[in-house]
Amino acid sequence: MIIVVKKGTKEEFIDNIKDTLLANGMTFYVLQGSSYVLIPVAGDLTTSDMGRFRSLKGVERIINISKPYFMVSKHYREKSIVDLGDGIDIGSDFTVISGPCSVESADSLDKIAAFLSGLGVKILRGGTFKMRTSPYSFQGLGENGVKILNETAGRYNMKTISEIVDVRHIDLFEQYIDIIQVGARNMMNFALLKELGKSSKPILLKRSANATIEEFLSSAEYIMAEGNENIILCERGITSFDDSTRSLVNIAAIPIIKEQTHLPVILDPSHSVGSFKYVPQVSEAAVVLGADGLIVETHYNPTNALSDGYQSLNFNHFESMYKKVLKLCEFKKENL
Amino acid sequence: MIIVVKKGTKEEFIDNIKDTLLANGMTFYVLQGSSYVLIPVAGDLTTSDMGRFRSLKGVERIINISKPYFMVSKHYREKSIVDLGDGIDIGSDFTVISGPCSVESADSLDKIAAFLSGLGVKILRGGTFKMRTSPYSFQGLGENGVKILNETAGRYNMKTISEIVDVRHIDLFEQYIDIIQVGARNMMNFALLKELGKSSKPILLKRSANATIEEFLSSAEYIMAEGNENIILCERGITSFDDSTRSLVNIAAIPIIKEQTHLPVILDPSHSVGSFKYVPQVSEAAVVLGADGLIVETHYNPTNALSDGYQSLNFNHFESMYKKVLKLCEFKKENL
Amino acid sequence: MIIVVKKGTKEEFIDNIKDTLLANGMTFYVLQGSSYVLIPVAGDLTTSDMGRFRSLKGVERIINISKPYFMVSKHYREKSIVDLGDGIDIGSDFTVISGPCSVESADSLDKIAAFLSGLGVKILRGGTFKMRTSPYSFQGLGENGVKILNETAGRYNMKTISEIVDVRHIDLFEQYIDIIQVGARNMMNFALLKELGKSSKPILLKRSANATIEEFLSSAEYIMAEGNENIILCERGITSFDDSTRSLVNIAAIPIIKEQTHLPVILDPSHSVGSFKYVPQVSEAAVVLGADGLIVETHYNPTNALSDGYQSLNFNHFESMYKKVLKLCEFKKENL
Amino acid sequence: MIIVVKKGTKEEFIDNIKDTLLANGMTFYVLQGSSYVLIPVAGDLTTSDMGRFRSLKGVERIINISKPYFMVSKHYREKSIVDLGDGIDIGSDFTVISGPCSVESADSLDKIAAFLSGLGVKILRGGTFKMRTSPYSFQGLGENGVKILNETAGRYNMKTISEIVDVRHIDLFEQYIDIIQVGARNMMNFALLKELGKSSKPILLKRSANATIEEFLSSAEYIMAEGNENIILCERGITSFDDSTRSLVNIAAIPIIKEQTHLPVILDPSHSVGSFKYVPQVSEAAVVLGADGLIVETHYNPTNALSDGYQSLNFNHFESMYKKVLKLCEFKKENL
């Protein structure tokens, strides 16, 4: 923490700042700058709220140096791989997760799972409790959807991922789902995060559309601080004035996030871009930017999907994209 | 809904669009523009997902005209007043809600309640379960805080408001709290909103820092669609590149929101501005912009507050601000 | 400037940083923090580019404390009043500037000037060279418009303001215009700013829609550094994801800007809000937030205006707004 | 254009809208929707200002369908290649432009040009008149820098590019520079754009950090409408709340821009990312996203560069990046 004090502040106010720091057991130094007095402070700041120093007389502003997270950072560990069992993990090789936006029926999901599994995809996604802006939109099949997802994936030896929207569903998800997804709109639902921190299941945490990287990692810290170290981060676009895509596709954030944390980072190109047309190119960009994988929506008939049809790939598009991405991964290993 | 089709699109594709619309029971018209073919469509779109029309061949984009909400709009009702009992309401006169950021102890809260009540403030705020970016920051007194808030307010005949962060706390809040607050970070926690829609208590819903007005009102619709019509909206600043204040103080949104909805709209100047210095001026601006009230943080010793000290008013500042705001309300009634 | 060095950085790299600082004649201190080594630095940084220190080994980041401006700050002067002659100034009392978006013809401008002057408005605005997003939109009457503005204002003893868009027009503007306006889109046209810094005419500088306050004041510094100290700042809304108004009406920035600078700060409610309906309320808010004035668009028949009709007030609206604003100014002096 | 009219608007107001449209020679239709009356309108709207229709009674809003540009769109031409002579062009193959942020001296530029030319780079960049936020930062060598750039490039048979900041420098740039660059902060300096539209030299137009794609293309239209069809677009990052990089690296905009226009689109990774560390990965991503090239800063000793040292690549970094990018281009041609 650095306390910036206005030049010309009365000595008594500076003494008061010093006394307050001493009383809190902090080490500091006072440096006379040309337009400010700088007081850099060393000490454990997680136990007290830095904000309070801002209201001391003469203080212009407080600059925070420490990060509000530790366990998710590279200071704690160099690299994490999230093991899903049966030889499947996220973090060692590039992983493509796919499936429909929503589980619509057992038949339709089977068709999609058969196709994806045939290509080599090992993790099946499918929305069951949907988060929709309007209460009048399709809200998902709920518990029934969770079971269909579980059974379908079982037939093809696939792992499952689905979004949880209610802390009271944790038991249900733990029973049937392999990776519990926290959506962008729940990234700061700390009650949910803490509860998931006690779960034995891996958590995929999506970045909120208005969260800074620091806030994103702090939310992951909420989970990890409770004991669950199996976390996958997912970048999915941010809010911006540029409305040419559904969200602003923030793929260049991937290497920056990965420099801060040991956790695997994947991209959701479907929700970022909001249009199937750009999903393949954005997915390829994620590969060269060092992402650990993708979670991408696929449907055999996107026009009739019950939600998000426009951003889902059809089977032809998915197969083409998937093969290119794998080829690019090979190329990258040897050349980039 | 308006479907914009690229000029020069083959007749068969346009026929396909028409057929799809007819099959969905929609009324439409086809207009040849200079660079586009426009197909305006009338019909109930809440039952189907407009997105799917975007993947039809030739479609350039879909323009949504209908709003995803109805009950919170002025089409449903002209004006709502939220009655809290004992002659206290929100929506008829300008209401100032105040109290500390967090309930810190019974003694400290009593001191603040005594002061506020003495001035005429009728609703006491106090955080009990706190939402903090870092898991290592002060998290609030929890259930004990809820009870302290209830008892303290009772002594001064005040109503209470506190933020709920976990759907499993609803029974507790219903028992002890008069207005249940949903924080900005839970604005899209639809599981929580639906549950609160079944509550008999008024709900104060804060706008998420990256929500559009349409998303804000859609979240209110989630509550109202379940039967709870006692909702107060609260604007509290949005995310922006301009980091001169904690959030971008979006006060000019107040008249725009009020034009769309019958619900009362209040401002949280403390969290918007993030600095006690600007709270009074921003509060006065809220009055002339037509807000129905304020929720503002007050503490007898902000420097030692356990959270958000810098944005809390001390007693002198609050009293000065409160009196000016009331005078300005009088002036406004007669002159503006 | 504070240099933040990664904990665990080799001693030789830290020595290299120290040597580089010494070689640049800077005073500094090295503080061992818990996760970082902090090196606060005092010294004149305007002569060297701080960015270069970022590429030294071990450096995590550089934190800038000094502001990139001086003459426009309160360190240089407490308060400026821009004198326009004939007893008219900006900065002592609240000033309302008005007129049409564009000068459309001598007759139409005369009608507007007669009306405004009759109410007591002393400064007439009118676009002459227009900045339009599309090259095919109305571009203004140009030199002829400048002369019409000058002649019309003369008849009513009003001062004039118009936007300059080309550095080659300075002579023309100096001859005919009393306040030369720099539009938001030219806020960083430094070649123009420097030239205007040599002018004897007051400059009204609009904030760019994506400029931070620091960038805004730095642009004003460009003018002032060349010798022209008669500058009026104008806030006109910023870019945001919230598209409910033309720009995000950033009125709460007014007291924050005024705390940094001695220059008068006015608001353009018309371009911020983009709709005549909200102009009066936003203008009143500007009064309580401490603005030094307004520049607002008025037209006798907004529907037929050649540009920006929707955001212009008609005569009735202007008169009503103007009288309320003046009353509120009186009220504020005595009560707020 | 579509006019959205509030349901329940009086017949006389709708008649008035119809009459106004007829008077302007427009074709339209009136469709009764469930919550709105929609009036889609066909007709040439560039000659009148749509805004005016917004002030007609009953009008809720106006939706613009037509784009404000034509010549830069794919309706005008499928693909443009900007020919620079001597077998060098932008648009057919992937082009890497490089050089220092600023021309610092003849010797230092020679060193850089020799290195780049040796690798096969054919276009040399170098700032001569600099745009700096602070008037006290290094402002460039000016005319002398322009001549040094010209002479140095000549020795190595390279083409040159440099940013113009003043419309009065056009003659100078036409004499000595091969591609005239318009910086992001001048993207809406329409006076400059119009003048460059009369030039015979190719123009590189950078996207402003707060411009939408539509505004970006409209600025290019300003140049093209005056007759200069040799335009290269350059994406360089946008303004955002996410301050983890200098600008928000908006690379996913590249395929979206290219879908709208026939002009070549290149990326400036240095200014987007603001840190040399991420330049290589972002550059590779630009390749797979379909960019036509890069403009990237290189310096033999970034730590001592007079400007932007931190974002410049040193020779080793550039060579490594350059070779990978070329390999990836080859891979892409055959595989993606």
Side-chain angles (χ1 to χ4, degrees), chain D residues 35-50:
Chain D
S35 13
Y36 296 101
V37 179
L38 302 184
I39 307 181
V41 180
D44 182 5
L45 298 174
T46 55
T47 52
S48 77
D49 206 6
M50 291 193 339

Side-chain angles (χ1 to χ4, degrees), chain A residues 43-323:
Chain A
D44 181 5
L45 298 174
T46 56
T47 54
S48 78
D49 207 2
M50 291 192 339
R52 74 175 68 177
F53 295 105
R54 289 181 66 195
S55 44
L56 292 171
K57 277 220 171 65
V59 173
E60 169 94 8
R61 60 183 172 124
I62 301 284
I63 298 168
N64 195 357
I65 306 291
S66 301
K67 312 268 194 215
Y69 52 80
F70 171 68
M71 293 183 74
V72 302
S73 78
K74 292 229 167 179
H75 296 289
Y76 178 76
R77 190 186 292 157
E78 186 52 36
K79 183 174 167 61
S80 286
I81 288 173
V82 175
D83 191 355
L84 301 168
D86 303 320
I88 305 174
D89 72 56
I90 295 177
S92 56
D93 262 326
F94 194 83
T95 306
V96 178
I97 301 170
S98 194
C101 176
S102 302
V103 175
E104 297 174 351
S105 73
D107 280 357
S108 104
L109 188 63
D110 187 84
K111 205 164 170 175
I112 296 168
F115 166 74
L116 292 172
S117 164
L119 283 174
V121 173
K122 301 225 157 33
I123 309 174
L124 184 64
R125 64 150 288 150
T128 50
F129 295 88
K130 299 300 295 173
M131 298 282 276
R132 304 299 296 273
T133 303
S134 167
Y136 309 119
S137 295
F138 173 62
Q139 306 275 319
L141 296 186
E143 182 168 343
N144 196 27
V146 170
K147 289 175 180 165
I148 291 173
L149 181 59
N150 175 278
E151 287 158 16
T152 310
R155 274 198 296 284
Y156 299 96
N157 296 312
M158 295 173 90
K159 301 292 175 186
T160 56
I161 177 166
S162 195
E163 182 179 346
I164 191 165
V165 302
D166 191 327
V167 68
R168 296 167 302 184
H169 297 160
I170 287 187
D171 286 349
L172 177 72
F173 274 66
E174 290 206 310
Q175 192 178 347
Y176 293 108
I177 300 295
D178 298 303
I179 305 174
I180 305 178
Q181 176 179 325
V182 178
R185 291 184 275 206
N186 272 318
M187 191 200 87
M188 288 197 180
N189 183 343
F190 299 132
L192 177 63
L193 298 182
K194 283 182 189 171
E195 219 53 65
L196 292 171
K198 297 170 194 150
S199 170
S200 60
K201 292 288 175 121
I203 310 301
L204 182 138
L205 179 67
K206 282 200 168 180
R207 179 175 176 182
S208 159
N210 74 331
T212 61
I213 291 176
E214 189 168 301
E215 289 167 333
F216 187 22
L217 293 178
S218 296
S219 281
E221 185 88 3
Y222 261 96
I223 300 171
M224 207 152 165
E226 298 288 335
N228 188 348
E229 305 203 352
N230 290 307
I231 304 168
I232 303 139
L233 301 175
C234 181
E235 169 64 48
R236 47 76 71 216
I238 62 170
T239 296
S240 160
F241 71 88
D242 179 2
D243 58 358
S244 51
T245 48
R246 182 167 167 171
S247 300
L248 207 286
V249 185
N250 194 11
I251 31 181
I254 294 171
I256 295 164
I257 298 171
K258 283 185 74 76
E259 199 177 65
Q260 302 294 325
T261 183
H262 54 83
L263 298 171
V265 180
I266 72 169
L267 176 76
D268 177 344
S270 310
H271 283 86
S272 304
V273 144
S275 160
F276 72 91
K277 273 189 294 185
Y278 306 112
V279 165
Q281 279 184 297
V282 166
S283 299
E284 293 163 15
V287 171
V288 302
L289 288 162
D292 293 293
L294 299 170
I295 180 164
V296 59
E297 292 180 5
T298 302
H299 196 283
Y300 53 90
N301 186 353
T303 307
N304 284 330
L306 288 177
S307 55
D308 281 350
Y310 188 61
Q311 68 195 32
S312 296
L313 298 179
N314 66 25
F315 284 2
N316 283 341
H317 289 144
F318 179 82
E319 183 166 352
S320 158
M321 181 276 279
Y322 185 66
K323 288 180 174 168

Side-chain angles (χ1 to χ4, degrees), chain B residues 257-286:
Chain B
I257 297 171
K258 284 185 74 75
E259 198 177 65
Q260 301 294 325
T261 183
H262 53 84
L263 298 171
V265 180
I266 71 169
L267 177 75
D268 176 345
S270 310
H271 283 86
S272 302
V273 143
S275 159
F276 72 91
K277 275 188 293 185
Y278 306 113
V279 164
Q281 278 183 299
V282 167
S283 299
E284 294 162 15

